[in-house]
């Protein structure tokens, strides 16, 4: 089972939106998926509560119980687990990073957001885990993406080639208990999520073959 941790020490980076949409896209690809919600705000769990479908499996947990949940999911032949971590909690983020195959760090394009990811990069380094910074909620101006990418690379972050735009459809889908690929499969947001998941899946499969 592939394990993906989504961490950010700054609130509002978009961890939950990324987690639920990637989990839904994994299920759309017939991959049995567990989404572990470590955030005390329980946003992923609340999304699942209003969702009609019974997939992906979403479970609220403390970091100390995370491994048990993953072991049980593996025993039930799950293909993926996504871990939605809490902001301002280095311990739980570190525990999630340690067991992950890859860590995603969502980051908005503002200078304060970019500076804030240094602590998340340090956590990944401490856990000896590969990380990708996913530019999130990026306005449509191309220059913003280019400038943010350059700033992140200057502090040692590897920026994902696929970014997520600033799109209202994400909010609409979350409110409906859906992923954007379910809410509007033809939307730009849906294409962005499909591209991001496709890249992550390819990276993990390639690593697994080594």
């Amino acid at each position: 089972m592939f394990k993906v941790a989504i961490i950010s020490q700054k609130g509002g980076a978009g961890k939950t939106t990324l987690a639920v949409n990637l989990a839904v896209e994994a299920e759309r690809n017939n991959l049995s998926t567990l989404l572990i919600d470590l955030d005390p705000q329980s946003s992923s769990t609340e999304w699942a509560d209003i969702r009609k479908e019974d997939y992906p499996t979403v479970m609220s947990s403390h970091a100390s119980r995370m491994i048990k949940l993953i072991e049980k999911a593996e025993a039930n032949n799950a293909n993926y687990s996504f871990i939605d971590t809490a902001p301002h909690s280095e311990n739980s983020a570190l525990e999630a990073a340690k067991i992950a195959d890859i860590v995603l760090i969502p980051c908005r394009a503002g200078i304060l957001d970019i500076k804030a990811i240094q602590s998340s990069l340090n956590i990944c380094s401490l856990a000896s885990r590969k990380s990708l910074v996913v530019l999130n909620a990026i306005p449509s101006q191309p220059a913003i993406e280019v400038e943010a990418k350059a700033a992140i690379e200057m502090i040692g972050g590897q920026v994902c080639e696929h970014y997520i735009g600033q799109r209202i459809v994400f909010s609409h889908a979350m409110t409906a208990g859906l992923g954007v690929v379910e809410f509007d499969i033809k939307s730009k947001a849906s294409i962005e999520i499909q591209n991001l998941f496709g890249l992550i899946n390819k990276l993990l499969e390639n690593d697994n073959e080594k």
Side-chain angles (χ1 to χ4, degrees), residues 35-209:
L35 173 53
I36 300 175
D37 187 357
L38 298 184
D39 192 339
Q41 292 184 350
S42 302
S43 297
S44 292
T45 307
E46 290 179 0
W47 169 83
D49 287 342
I50 61 175
R51 183 172 169 79
K52 294 179 180 179
E53 291 79 5
D54 59 1
Y55 61 86
T57 300
V58 180
M59 302 193 72
S60 181
S61 177
H62 294 290
S64 60
R65 293 286 303 163
M66 180 173 47
I67 293 177
K68 291 293 184 182
L69 292 180
I70 288 174
E71 288 175 348
K72 185 174 181 180
E74 285 181 318
N76 285 293
N77 299 313
N79 303 109
Y80 261 91
S81 64
F82 291 93
I83 307 167
D84 182 12
T85 62
H88 315 300
S89 179
E90 292 187 2
N91 289 337
S92 65
L94 178 59
E95 291 305 309
K98 283 180 178 178
I99 66 172
D101 297 301
I102 191 169
V103 178
L104 304 182
I105 305 173
C107 180
R108 293 175 182 262
I111 187 61
L112 296 180
D113 298 86
I114 293 170
K115 286 184 176 180
I117 68 168
Q118 185 66 69
S119 59
S120 297
L121 293 172
N122 292 342
I123 286 171
C124 294
S125 179
L126 189 60
S128 300
R129 287 297 181 269
K130 179 179 181 178
S131 65
L132 278 178
V133 178
V134 180
L135 288 171
N136 191 41
I138 302 301
S140 58
Q141 298 93 325
I144 293 178
E145 178 199 352
V146 172
E147 291 170 2
K149 183 175 184 292
I152 291 167
E153 289 175 344
M154 283 185 64
I155 61 173
Q158 181 179 349
V159 181
C160 180
E161 64 185 83
H162 298 298
Y163 70 89
I164 306 298
Q166 188 176 48
R167 309 194 189 285
I168 192 64
V169 68
F170 281 109
S171 178
H172 292 329
M174 290 288 289
T175 301
L178 299 171
V180 288
V181 295
E182 299 169 314
F183 189 85
D184 185 355
I185 189 64
K186 295 181 180 179
S187 67
K188 290 182 179 180
S190 174
I191 293 169
E192 289 167 353
I193 290 296
Q194 292 176 62
N195 288 340
L196 178 58
F197 177 76
L199 174 64
I200 294 165
N201 194 52
K202 182 179 179 180
L203 289 173
L204 292 174
E205 287 182 342
N206 289 344
D207 288 344
N208 191 49
E209 291 173 359

